[in-house]
Amino acid sequence: MGDQARPLSVEGAPLFGWTPRDRDPGEVQSAYEIIVRGPSGTAVWDSGRVRSGSQEYVRYAGPSLAPETSYTWTVRTWDASGKRSPWARPAAFDTGLSDRDWQATWIRRTTADADDYTLARKDFTVGGSKVVRARVHIAASQQYALHLNGETVDRGPAFEYADDGFYKTVDVTSKVKAGRPATIGALYHWYGSGQGRPKGEPGLLVRLVIDHADGTRQVVVTDGTWKVTRAPWKKAPKRNGDAGDYVEDIDGTAAPLGWDEPGHDASAWQDPQVVGVHPASGFKHLHGQETALSYQAVRPVKVTRLDSGALVADFGKVIPAVPVVRFRDGVAAAT
């Protein structure tokens, strides 16, 4: 659908696509039929038999679909002789959010930092009924890492104009357990204008929706009850005069261990600055972003110690990467 195998934020009329698998050489499609079903399994739209050879970007033409809801769809086709195929295996999609559906507040840390790294967190308890579906919608200016119960579940850049920005939807159904304490958090990074990056203003917007087996829905959103603090990035000079990026200088000893887990003591953290309910201030419009970077852990094929004592890790090829270093021993404050 819309060039995605399992989209999580379909906006507007869904666009369906399929590839017929016919054993007859040179066969052509003469008609199709699409059925869309809601969460209960009830059909919300049946196209009926449509005489058409179209197989790409076939537009949904049924009643309006509910926001942030999971649907399934299937299709069958007819060949040139009128022979009908079996129904295809059902595929799923989620509808996205309009600006008025968020009902969440933009927040940020009060700071004059030109290179703003901020941690934000919120504790809550998951409802007692079995979790059948859970989604997090997140937007941030300008980069973010989304955390849930001690795990990083998504990362994203959002280099877009603040009045027409992006949001991401993440499936976290397996990450939340009924009746258990939970913590949702985020690290966001704002560093002003630069190459391909409008200045905008710092901010974080989160909406977590948990659907339970008993039919109830639990919603956790960014608001004034969250807590924020500066992340352990130190003030540093700019890397160069082109993109305007800053050197990353991180004080690992200042990292608040367990900050994204239930039970962390955040009493020293500050209350966030509440910008307003979306749309607010410079954040006027958001649209879903389906693209995402794929991450994997890799190990060097060779590690060489130079005469200076420095270590050089050879991965065998050029890769964009973030180093992960674990120390078995050492002296505090030594480099």
Side-chain angles (χ1 to χ4, degrees):
M1 172 179 295
D3 296 326
Q4 298 288 328
R6 178 58 174 95
L8 293 174
S9 55
V10 173
E11 298 174 330
L15 300 174
F16 302 102
W18 57 89
T19 302
R21 297 179 178 176
D22 203 304
R23 297 177 181 177
D24 300 332
E27 189 57 83
V28 295
Q29 172 187 302
S30 64
Y32 67 81
E33 181 179 9
I34 299 171
I35 292 181
V36 177
R37 300 185 185 277
S40 66
T42 303
V44 297
W45 179 58
D46 186 336
S47 70
R49 181 175 176 176
V50 179
R51 295 182 61 85
S52 172
S54 297
Q55 301 166 8
E56 299 175 341
Y57 305 111
V58 177
R59 184 175 292 273
Y60 172 82
S64 297
L65 300 176
E68 59 180 355
T69 301
S70 297
Y71 292 87
T72 59
W73 72 282
T74 185
V75 63
R76 63 181 177 181
T77 61
W78 284 260
D79 65 14
S81 67
K83 184 178 179 180
R84 186 181 63 197
S85 76
W87 288 103
R89 180 183 302 172
F93 67 94
D94 282 17
T95 48
L97 293 171
S98 69
D99 292 310
R100 66 177 179 274
D101 295 323
W102 276 85
Q103 299 179 17
T105 302
W106 283 95
I107 63 172
R108 59 184 170 222
R109 183 170 60 92
T110 302
T111 178
D113 293 344
D115 190 26
D116 176 12
Y117 285 93
T118 292
L119 298 176
R121 71 184 308 278
K122 169 73 175 180
D123 289 326
F124 65 99
T125 300
V126 182
S129 178
K130 179 183 177 181
V131 175
V132 296
R133 178 182 181 274
R135 302 287 189 268
V136 177
H137 312 283
I138 180 170
S141 180
Q142 295 157 311
Q143 295 177 306
Y144 70 85
L146 174 65
H147 293 242
L148 187 62
N149 297 332
E151 181 180 350
T152 302
V153 295
D154 190 55
R155 296 181 177 89
F159 298 151
E160 179 63 292
Y161 290 97
D163 59 354
D164 190 30
F166 293 116
Y167 75 90
K168 185 82 174 292
T169 300
V170 186
D171 183 352
V172 294
T173 306
S174 64
K175 310 295 184 183
V176 288
K177 306 299 180 183
R180 301 288 295 276
T183 300
I184 186 169
L187 161 67
Y188 76 78
H189 178 210
W190 176 87
Y191 50 122
S193 61
Q195 190 175 39
R197 187 178 70 247
K199 181 178 181 180
E201 57 185 276
L204 173 69
L205 183 71
V206 175
R207 178 180 171 88
L208 166 63
V209 179
I210 303 173
D211 291 330
H212 295 274
D214 62 2
T216 59
R217 168 170 282 191
Q218 182 177 4
V219 180
V220 178
V221 299
T222 40
D223 57 20
T225 66
W226 284 52
K227 291 292 185 179
V228 296
T229 193
R230 178 172 176 81
W233 272 255
K234 300 166 67 177
K235 292 185 178 181
K238 288 190 174 183
R239 180 176 290 112
N240 54 52
D242 183 15
D245 296 356
Y246 291 83
V247 173
E248 290 193 56
D249 186 356
I250 305 171
D251 181 1
T253 64
L257 299 179
W259 71 271
D260 55 357
E261 298 177 356
H264 179 74
D265 182 7
S267 59
W269 292 33
Q270 63 195 81
D271 295 332
Q273 176 187 346
V274 175
V275 181
V277 175
H278 180 75
S281 185
F283 307 104
K284 300 301 183 184
H285 175 60
L286 294 172
H287 50 99
Q289 183 178 23
E290 290 287 352
T291 56
L293 296 176
S294 177
Y295 294 87
Q296 62 177 329
V298 295
R299 293 182 177 276
V301 297
K302 182 180 180 181
V303 177
T304 304
R305 184 181 293 275
L306 304 181
D307 292 341
S308 65
L311 297 174
V312 177
D314 180 3
F315 291 89
K317 57 184 177 181
V318 178
I319 57 173
V322 176
V324 177
V325 181
R326 294 182 175 89
F327 296 94
R328 287 193 298 267
D329 50 43
V331 178
T335 58

